[in-house]
Amino acid sequence: MKLTKKKYLIGFTVAVVLLAGVRLCFPQVAEARGGKTENRDMSVINSSSESEEITHIAPRTYSLSEKHRIYSVPSFKACFPDTQMVQLQAAMKWGVKRVKDREDAEKRKNELVYVGANPYYHIDPLYSSIPYLVPRAAVLLQDIGTAFFDSLYVKGVPLHRLIVTSVLRSEADVKKLRRHNGNATENSCHLYGTTFDICYNRYETVENPDGPARRAVRNDSLKYVLSEVLRDMREQGRCYIKYEVKQGCFHMTVR
């Protein structure tokens, strides 16, 4: 039998009417199927929502986990034992020719990088050094500052900037410094632009001057975090570090 357009339309209409009658007489059939679809869709939505929630809250709750507690290092002296002689060898290898005075330093800026302004660390007022380092040491200082920020963040500690107390010294600076600091050596690593000191008992709080004050953090806690960062840098073979008790700083030279 040939299927004409008219017969097709009549058959289609009858099928639609029958299905509509079944839906009206047995609504639970449609609800059961629809309910499963809805539940499946909601399951996907819930799964997606949970995934997004974990992604968003992870940075805030990460610092509260056991993995990111502040442990410090077992012993400052044992973990940072690198002597003047060890650091001097590295300074002479990676550094510039000894700087005679400030005027000589100004002429050597093509060999040195200015480190006097940085968002991750603060340079103390310098009376016996100038804020210049060889590029290799400048990168090391930058990486220490950023790693310190990262570590404070994951541990849930308010951000603080490191304080650098000594950088490049001229021969004239060393001579002047030796008059009142017996710890300063005549052949200082600082003469080569490879060495800097980071204070471990003072830090600069990062906060909005027009906003609320940040909660206080003990310097010891910040020192522990810093020691973890420096230990990692030293173990990666990037620097030599000496824990200076009298000077209150970590004295380090790039490798």
Side-chain angles (χ1 to χ4, degrees), residues 200-211:
Y200 58 66
N201 50 24
R202 291 186 293 118
Y203 301 84
E204 185 180 76
T205 305
V206 177
E207 62 183 354
N208 183 350
D210 299 323

Side-chain angles (χ1 to χ4, degrees), residues 118-122 148-149 159-163 203-204 206:
N118 192 283
Y120 297 104
Y121 56 82
H122 168 74
F148 183 63
F149 261 39
L159 297 182
H160 288 71
R161 292 204 299 169
L162 301 173
I163 296 179
Y203 301 84
E204 185 180 76
V206 177

Side-chain angles (χ1 to χ4, degrees), residues 96-100 104 108 171 186-188 191-192:
V96 297
K97 183 180 177 181
R98 288 172 55 146
V99 176
K100 295 180 179 179
D104 184 26
R108 308 273 286 280
E171 291 181 337
E186 185 176 358
N187 192 18
S188 171
L191 289 164
Y192 302 92

